[in-house]
Amino acid sequence: EAPDAPLTYHIEGPGQVLQKADGMVWIGTTEEPAGGFDLTTTDEAREGLMGRALRTMPCLSELSLVQQTACLRPVTPDRLPLVGRAPGWEGVYLATGGEKKGILLGPAMGQAIADLIIRGSTLIPVRPFGVERFLD
């Protein structure tokens, strides 16, 4: 829940604490491999996150937990994104696998895909990120 006084800092370290535009305080994150689309949350993850956050900002102990979520981030075996045409499919393109850096890579991945769709090529060097690297 939101504190009486808004947080004026985004704390980044072994985890992070930030306040979103709606006033809610978010504490995150863990990174755990999961198969499929498992959205199960764990007590261990919550306790670890809360412990680190409270050591950094003891004032958070006055707030109530509203929700615990599991956020899935696509990752490839080599931990690099997939960007480019889908082999064997006409008009299908891939822009995925950005993992936790997806929000940072998204604009370049989107531009590359838009270029490929509109122009048939892109100046962004996407060849190393093609799905072909997994076909052998």
Side-chain angles (χ1 to χ4, degrees):
E1 66 184 12
D4 290 334
L7 300 178
T8 56
Y9 298 96
H10 174 156
I11 307 297
E12 182 77 36
Q16 54 184 304
V17 178
L18 63 108
Q19 191 165 20
K20 299 279 188 152
D22 66 1
M24 298 300 284
V25 175
W26 288 67
I27 299 169
T29 64
T30 63
E31 186 176 331
E32 303 165 23
F37 295 94
D38 183 4
L39 292 172
T40 305
T41 60
T42 66
D43 293 338
E44 295 81 15
R46 183 184 64 251
E47 290 166 9
L49 290 168
M50 294 302 291
R52 288 191 297 276
L54 290 171
R55 280 192 298 280
T56 304
M57 298 182 70
C59 64
L60 295 175
S61 66
E62 300 170 14
L63 306 181
S64 298
L65 178 66
V66 174
Q67 183 179 18
Q68 179 180 355
T69 64
C71 301
L72 303 178
R73 295 177 182 93
V75 62
T76 62
D78 63 3
R79 301 185 77 93
L80 296 174
L82 286 173
V83 182
R85 292 180 181 87
W89 294 74
E90 184 65 32
V92 176
Y93 299 83
L94 301 169
T96 188
E99 196 184 1
K100 62 184 176 184
K101 295 180 187 86
I103 196 166
L104 301 173
L105 298 173
M109 292 167 63
Q111 183 64 60
I113 295 300
D115 291 346
L116 290 171
I117 292 170
I118 294 167
R119 296 184 189 92
S121 65
T122 182
L123 296 176
I124 298 172
V126 296
R127 185 175 300 264
F129 307 110
V131 72
E132 296 83 8
R133 68 189 193 266
F134 298 117
L135 297 179
D136 292 335

